[in-house]
Amino acid sequence: MTSSFRPLDRRTMLRGTLAAGAGVAFGQLLFAGAAQAYSWSRTLNQGDTGADVTELQIRVAGWAADSAAQSRVGVDGDFGPGTAAAVKRFQAAYGLTADASVGPNTQAKLNALEQSDGSTLHFDWSEFVDQSSGNFNGGKLSAAQVKENARRCMYKLEALRKKLGDKPITVNSGFRSIAHNADIGGASDSMHLYGTAADLDVPGVATKTVYQKAETCGFSGLERYTVDHQHVDSRADLGRDWWWESGTV
């Protein structure tokens, strides 16, 4: 990956957003800077709680379901049944014993999916910064909050990439500043303004297939697959209602 920005195209004109109710509830978002090269200090099992469970939930959030389901892994630091099921799916996908116990082998695989700068193995910060300014400033949240949301999106995209047979995913648009979003005609409350959205292209894979796999990755916002890209976002993490524009559910 390079640090150069991709040129704008009509993919950035996404209209996929949903009006919020009164106020914006950030729900279970935890904005503290997350650790890269994470130091797991214990084996995690169902019933455990703590910051390490929160980090685990972020990293397995893309394994929310086996088939199309409006289901997400709660990022709340409480290792419950939903987290356990996601861990099992992660373990099975990577050839590990699918027992929901997060010991050294699972932790090593989780850490293998991160880069030293906090991004993930197959995605880079340069793909998610505002294409006008080259940073995470000027959105609806602080730069730190936006960057953390982008990191969480990356882990879901790692799961999507795996489910697509390790097909490379191109991120055409990640975070957008309010000014840049207005310049390109984006929706006034686009999820891109929060850093929780991405517009994707997967060369050689039908957009409908990308959509259907994304339905299993905990994405609560999906634009219709009849356009030339796939929009995904995690608006439910911001307290918004689910919005799947087309699909099987």
Side-chain angles (χ1 to χ4, degrees), residues 3-243:
S3 60
S4 59
F5 303 136
R6 294 180 176 84
L8 296 179
D9 55 27
R10 70 191 186 89
R11 292 184 174 91
T12 61
M13 305 302 287
L14 179 72
R15 297 188 301 276
T17 185
L18 186 69
V24 175
F26 293 119
Q28 297 165 330
L29 280 182
L30 303 173
F31 294 129
Q36 57 267 17
Y38 195 79
S39 297
W40 306 95
S41 61
R42 56 175 174 161
T43 294
L44 297 175
N45 292 290
Q46 190 168 336
D48 288 337
T49 60
D52 48 1
V53 175
T54 298
E55 184 62 24
L56 170 67
Q57 291 168 326
I58 290 169
R59 297 183 183 216
V60 300
W63 299 92
D66 289 311
S67 57
Q70 292 191 351
S71 175
R72 57 187 283 272
V73 176
V75 181
D76 57 6
D78 187 351
F79 197 142
T83 301
V87 168
K88 285 183 179 180
R89 295 184 190 103
F90 174 88
Q91 290 171 325
Y94 286 96
L96 302 169
T97 301
D99 58 4
S101 182
V102 185
N105 290 338
T106 300
Q107 292 166 1
K109 181 56 65 176
L110 290 167
N111 280 1
L113 291 175
E114 61 181 326
Q115 297 192 70
S116 60
D117 64 355
S119 60
T120 65
L121 181 61
H122 298 106
F123 299 94
D124 191 85
W125 295 122
S126 64
E127 298 175 282
F128 287 83
V129 293
D130 177 61
Q131 292 179 335
S132 178
S133 65
N135 56 45
F136 291 108
N137 297 321
K140 292 278 186 128
L141 302 172
S142 71
Q145 293 170 333
V146 166
K147 188 173 183 180
E148 172 61 7
N149 285 345
R151 186 181 79 97
R152 296 181 182 206
C153 184
M154 288 180 184
Y155 275 105
K156 288 185 177 180
L157 292 178
E158 289 287 351
L160 177 60
R161 188 183 193 278
K162 187 70 173 177
K163 294 174 187 182
L164 290 171
D166 293 313
K167 296 288 187 181
I169 295 174
T170 300
V171 177
N172 299 299
S173 180
F175 166 66
R176 301 176 194 159
S177 67
I178 294 171
H180 176 57
N181 187 64
D183 286 344
I184 64 172
S188 61
D189 198 38
S190 168
M191 293 296 105
H192 290 276
L193 299 170
Y194 300 87
T196 190
D199 292 349
L200 314 174
D201 180 44
V202 187
V205 179
T207 306
K208 183 175 181 179
T209 299
V210 177
Y211 185 106
Q212 291 172 330
K213 290 298 183 183
E215 288 178 309
T216 72
C217 294
F219 288 114
S220 44
L222 295 173
E223 188 191 25
R224 66 196 183 281
Y225 50 70
T226 53
V227 293
D228 65 349
H229 69 283
Q230 182 59 60
H231 168 91
V232 300
D233 69 58
S234 297
R235 63 188 61 210
D237 289 356
L238 301 178
R240 311 299 179 87
D241 292 332
W242 285 68
W243 174 79

